[in-house]
Amino acid sequence: DKTARYTVKLTMEVEDRQGLLAAVSARIADIDTNIRNMEAHSGEDRHARIDVTVEISDVKHLERVMKSLRRVDGVIDVERAGGRAPRA
């Protein structure tokens, strides 16, 4: 596969519940996306933050990843964490 790859960091606000990190990881893997790094931080308000760095091929791939993550039960919000978008 000679497709160019870009790394993008996403930040998710999620419910702090058992199994959510596994569900997020599985959803990313289900759409043939590689995870380069993942960190989870729990808060005191029953919410948590997950920072995940993924490899994408283009903007459409990034949009597909973000849309898919938003459909995971317990994910409240998904945002791109800074940086420049690859050109489509």
Side-chain angles (χ1 to χ4, degrees):
D1 183 12
K2 296 187 179 192
T3 305
R5 297 284 177 195
Y6 305 90
T7 56
V8 175
K9 183 176 180 180
L10 301 175
T11 297
M12 289 174 270
E13 181 183 354
V14 300
E15 295 172 2
D16 187 3
R17 69 168 175 80
Q18 185 175 350
L20 188 61
L21 193 59
V24 166
S25 298
R27 183 63 58 98
I28 292 169
D30 285 348
I31 52 176
D32 297 322
T33 303
N34 188 42
I35 297 171
R36 296 291 302 263
N37 185 50
M38 184 178 254
E39 296 179 36
H41 308 275
S42 295
E44 294 181 17
D45 59 356
R46 306 278 302 155
H47 284 186
R49 188 180 86 218
I50 299 173
D51 296 321
V52 59
T53 303
V54 295
E55 287 184 349
I56 60 156
S57 54
D58 55 30
V59 173
K60 286 184 187 290
H61 185 189
L62 175 60
E63 290 169 353
R64 200 166 71 244
V65 169
M66 293 177 71
K67 185 176 181 181
S68 183
L69 288 171
R70 287 186 179 110
R71 291 195 302 255
V72 174
D73 185 37
V75 171
I76 299 163
D77 191 28
V78 179
E79 293 184 351
R80 181 159 184 215
R84 297 174 61 188
R87 295 178 186 256

